[in-house]
Amino acid sequence: MDKKWWQKEVIYQIYPKSFYDSNNDGIGDIRGITEKLDYLETLGITMVWICPIYQSPMADNGYDISDYYQLNPEFGQMADLEELIEKAKGKGIKIVLDLVINHTSDEHPWFKDLLANPASSKYRDFYVLKPGKEGKPPTNWRSVFGGSVWEPLQDTGEYYFHSFGVKQPDLNWENSEVREELYKMINYWLEKGIAGFRVDAITFIKKDQTFEDLPADGVDGLVKCTKKTRNQPGIETFLHELNERTFSKYDCVTIGEAPGVPYDQFGDYVGENGYFSMIFDFKYADLDVASGSEWFKRVDWDVLDLKKLLFTSQKELQKNGWGANFLENHDQNRSISKYIKEEENRHYYSGTMLGAMFFNLRGTPFIYQGQELGMTNDKRESIDEFDDISSIDQYYRSINEGFSEEEALHFINLRSRDNSRTPFHWNAGENGGFSNVKPWLGMNENYKTINVQQQELEPHSILKFYKEMIKVRQTSECLIYGVIEPLMESHPTIIAYKRRYNKEEAVCYFNFSNESQAIELENGSYRVLLTNYKVKDQSIDAASFMLRPYQALILQKKEESCHEQI
Ligand code: NOJ
């Protein structure tokens, strides 16, 4: 694959509601991002992806858009966004927006018109409508957030389809008028000077047109809809057209949220002429989630499982194109709580080791706000403390399936999306310096010890390590563009890989255990590029090395040794 400008970016994901509240209404906003550009610049960020900021009733925190051309006043005005784009540009930071085109809000004028005139609305064909079957919904498919994918359209006997929440009706991509409206809107935003889009739930746009029932997989009598609604045959025509009519006309970056794509189709998605610049592969991120009727169970896993999933993903992405590597996002729980199982082992060493392991894989690295501080999951004591619609739904579904309230709370505490959505920790002051007033979502109380101000003062902190790590990558073509080769594939607690680019070589080792572990090095002499421990010598000539507990070690093979190998 030829070099592309977006391969060398370091992308920071902002959940705007929780980043920084500049006007003290308890909700983060666009000006809040602008005010914190210096922070992002010193961290070394070159691109920011902002989760949806468009007009929305916020049933799913902005993933339910009621006007694609207006911003949600809670976040600010168009002039604020223009100012942000301009000021960010001045600091070498590009802005990427979220693009939600699988569904709108039920408060979008198109859907409102349909509700007002169910039989005659000119927007009838903008959504997916079907008559019920003997007083029941058209199919037995379960939506991603739980409950049927079908909701009655008033009392017409018809139903409308929603892959996600009830307030997020899916658009009918089979209708070319819908597609034209979306392309117009996408081009409008690209003209505004944004660098590109992260494209939400894009594998859902094509539905199996037979709309037939499947065997139920839960006591609710429903079955996961994804078998009939995700990456269905025919989607390629839509994606090809989308790309041709919009993205391909601009030198923009597109990051597809593409769950459900089998590896043998990755080439279509991210190849040289793929639909997107890169995609998120969720197969490794879901390693602790059970599927089907056992969805609520937390699956036990070990480092070998993680390694296998991760390397398979890396090899497939390498074979086909380019990937978007992420450790956290607004839909996942916090990585240090997820990947480091014992609480006593969650600290500077494990947080930095984990960060470096993901960050130096082949692909464009994403950092989710707060990951650079080692922010953790937050335990909630009652269902009333949750905001995330999918957690609330899962809570009631567990209870319907016969679990106690305590058990249901336990399930959702483990995986709730609220874990990563708590307001950002700027300092140890009231509300973590996020806002002067009570934030929209309860703070994680550990902001008093885990926060930016504190970590800037400490001699060694996760934040300082991230700054160093970003600098190291940005000055190493090998770590940006190099091919990846797994090392030590059968070791139970070390993840290791080699990156190779022309004559350069870097070897990367990550110890996932709280015990020292020996590694064997290939013949040669090495320079330490990055580690989370103090090392006496910046050069290593020995054939073996003792990795300390949770050590991350990235070594550059000195060039004369690389020559020897060739
Ligand atoms: C994926 C987004 O990341 C998630 O937050 C959202 O709820 C769904 N898509 C629906 O838009």
Side-chain angles (χ1 to χ4, degrees):
M1 183 171 206
D2 290 343
K3 273 190 192 169
K4 303 283 183 331
W5 63 266
W6 34 259
Q7 294 177 325
K8 62 178 191 315
E9 303 296 320
V10 176
I11 307 187
Y12 190 85
Q13 184 194 347
I14 291 187
Y15 199 65
K17 242 185 142 169
S18 294
F19 189 58
Y20 183 59
D21 175 16
S22 74
N23 62 349
N24 292 306
D25 60 358
I27 297 169
D29 43 52
I30 298 170
R31 283 199 164 181
I33 304 174
T34 311
E35 285 183 29
K36 296 296 183 186
L37 280 173
D38 284 347
Y39 171 75
L40 298 172
E41 185 186 22
T42 27
L43 183 55
I45 298 305
T46 62
M47 194 187 276
V48 166
W49 150 31
I50 311 176
C51 286
I53 45 179
Y54 314 94
Q55 193 171 295
S56 160
M58 302 300 272
D60 188 19
N61 288 336
Y63 285 96
D64 47 323
I65 297 172
S66 53
D67 189 334
Y68 283 112
Y69 294 91
Q70 301 295 322
L71 300 183
N72 191 329
E74 277 181 356
F75 291 136
Q77 305 301 320
M78 199 60 85
D80 299 321
L81 180 61
E82 284 161 359
E83 184 191 21
L84 170 63
I85 296 174
E86 206 43 43
K87 290 205 166 150
K89 195 169 165 197
K91 293 181 178 297
I93 299 176
K94 306 170 190 75
I95 302 290
V96 163
L97 294 183
D98 221 305
L99 183 63
V100 189
I101 48 179
N102 174 65
H103 45 270
T104 66
S105 159
D106 64 347
E107 297 185 32
H108 191 285
W110 299 334
F111 198 80
K112 280 202 338 232
D113 191 89
L114 172 63
L115 287 181
N117 314 290
S120 59
S121 168
K122 63 174 181 181
Y123 297 108
R124 271 187 65 82
D125 208 26
F126 269 49
Y127 294 92
V128 182
L129 305 181
K130 287 268 167 255
K133 267 193 322 207
E134 293 141 24
K136 291 212 307 253
T139 67
N140 66 345
W141 304 347
R142 185 188 306 111
S143 74
V144 176
F145 292 161
S148 170
V149 293
W150 299 103
E151 190 66 13
L153 180 66
Q154 315 288 44
D155 52 6
T156 58
E158 279 189 307
Y159 290 75
Y160 72 85
F161 178 96
H162 59 93
S163 298
F164 297 91
V166 196
K167 283 181 70 63
Q168 294 164 294
D170 280 40
L171 285 164
N172 178 16
W173 271 71
E174 306 291 330
N175 178 356
S176 62
E177 256 185 277
V178 169
R179 304 200 301 271
E180 289 302 324
E181 284 289 347
L182 295 175
Y183 302 156
K184 192 168 79 191
M185 176 275 290
I186 294 169
N187 292 334
Y188 163 84
W189 283 106
L190 288 169
E191 290 292 334
K192 253 201 178 312
I194 60 165
F197 288 110
R198 174 267 189 186
V199 190
D200 186 66
I202 197 63
T203 42
F204 283 83
I205 58 176
K206 175 83 189 178
K207 281 77 180 156
D208 179 295
Q209 296 297 301
T210 58
F211 290 98
E212 58 192 14
D213 280 351
L214 290 173
D217 69 3
V219 299
D220 56 3
L222 302 178
V223 52
K224 223 173 157 181
C225 67
T226 48
K227 282 193 192 114
K228 293 285 182 188
T229 59
R230 214 170 57 177
N231 200 41
Q232 293 299 300
I235 194 171
E236 62 283 355
T237 316
F238 291 158
L239 292 176
H240 182 75
E241 186 186 89
L242 164 67
N243 185 41
E244 209 172 61
R245 298 289 308 282
T246 61
F247 311 144
S248 67
K249 298 182 181 193
Y250 300 82
D251 186 17
C252 66
V253 63
T254 53
I255 308 129
E257 191 200 27
V261 180
Y263 284 130
D264 62 7
Q265 289 174 25
F266 265 37
D268 301 336
Y269 276 77
V270 292
E272 197 65 56
N273 297 309
Y275 315 128
F276 303 104
S277 316
M278 56 185 107
I279 54 171
F280 293 119
D281 178 15
F282 291 92
K283 294 181 189 74
Y284 63 82
D286 288 340
L287 94 164
D288 63 337
V289 192
S291 57
S293 56
E294 303 270 86
W295 60 273
F296 48 82
K297 278 201 183 148
R298 192 173 184 206
V299 174
D300 203 21
W301 56 273
D302 59 23
V303 177
L304 276 172
D305 298 324
L306 172 62
K307 189 160 32 176
K308 203 164 153 212
L309 289 166
L310 205 57
F311 285 149
T312 306
S313 168
Q314 283 281 299
K315 283 184 207 159
E316 293 292 338
L317 282 162
Q318 175 154 282
K319 198 158 74 193
N320 293 293
W322 195 253
N325 297 325
F326 68 100
L327 186 51
E328 296 184 8
N329 66 34
H330 63 294
D331 294 331
Q332 303 284 326
N333 51 8
R334 288 289 184 181
S335 59
I336 196 159
S337 307
K338 168 173 167 177
Y339 293 108
I340 307 298
K341 293 186 190 168
E342 305 81 16
E343 196 145 357
E344 67 274 16
N345 290 330
R346 296 176 190 148
H347 42 51
Y348 163 80
Y349 294 104
S350 57
T352 49
M353 183 279 297
L354 204 49
M357 197 277 281
F358 271 84
F359 192 81
N360 291 292
L361 293 168
R362 180 179 172 280
T364 301
F366 283 66
I367 299 170
Y368 177 68
Q369 65 182 46
Q371 177 191 322
E372 77 280 20
L373 304 176
M375 279 178 69
T376 65
N377 281 355
D378 185 25
K379 191 161 175 246
R380 285 153 212 278
E381 305 297 337
S382 136
I383 186 64
D384 304 332
E385 292 171 42
F386 286 84
D387 169 81
D388 168 21
I389 45 172
S390 79
S391 304
I392 295 171
D393 198 279
Q394 284 175 354
Y395 174 83
Y396 289 110
R397 218 170 112 204
S398 316
I399 288 177
N400 283 343
E401 293 200 12
F403 293 96
S404 68
E405 286 180 16
E406 207 186 337
E407 286 167 321
L409 207 56
H410 175 68
F411 300 147
I412 60 170
N413 260 319
L414 286 177
R415 287 208 50 90
S416 173
R417 306 191 299 177
D418 285 335
N419 279 314
S420 56
R421 297 176 178 186
T422 55
F424 190 85
H425 301 176
W426 292 102
N427 57 46
E430 207 179 340
N431 304 319
F434 163 73
S435 174
N436 286 347
V437 303
K438 190 169 178 261
W440 70 278
L441 182 67
M443 301 285 306
N444 187 326
E445 282 304 306
N446 63 15
Y447 73 82
K448 289 165 194 141
T449 51
I450 300 176
N451 62 65
V452 172
Q453 197 180 39
Q454 169 92 13
Q455 295 204 11
E456 268 166 358
L457 290 174
E458 281 165 14
H460 300 288
S461 64
I462 302 186
L463 178 59
K464 283 194 170 158
F465 181 86
Y466 264 71
K467 287 186 192 172
E468 176 64 20
M469 173 170 85
I470 293 172
K471 230 183 263 158
V472 168
R473 175 189 192 260
Q474 297 308 74
T475 46
S476 160
E477 290 211 301
C478 182
L479 289 177
I480 299 175
Y481 305 109
V483 292
I484 190 162
E485 285 167 24
L487 299 172
M488 302 176 76
E489 281 186 87
S490 53
H491 195 286
T493 53
I494 292 176
I495 295 189
Y497 49 83
K498 183 188 278 188
R499 302 290 310 274
R500 229 169 9 83
Y501 184 70
N502 295 336
K503 285 177 182 159
E504 286 176 53
E505 238 181 75
V507 280
C508 315
Y509 297 92
F510 307 96
N511 183 3
F512 271 74
S513 89
N514 58 1
E515 283 168 16
S516 295
Q517 308 266 357
I519 50 169
E520 304 298 319
L521 297 172
E522 276 175 16
N523 276 346
S525 101
Y526 298 86
R527 185 167 76 85
V528 177
L529 273 185
L530 182 74
T531 183
N532 51 356
Y533 274 83
K534 265 204 189 115
V535 282
K536 272 196 243 106
D537 246 328
Q538 288 305 314
S539 279
I540 299 178
D541 293 309
S544 67
F545 186 90
M546 194 54 107
L547 278 185
R548 311 275 299 275
Y550 294 106
Q551 182 163 11
L553 180 68
I554 301 190
L555 304 173
Q556 182 182 37
K557 202 162 192 186
K558 289 190 182 157
E559 231 183 79
E560 58 277 13
S561 328
C562 295
H563 285 297
E564 274 167 27
Q565 268 217 318
I566 292 165

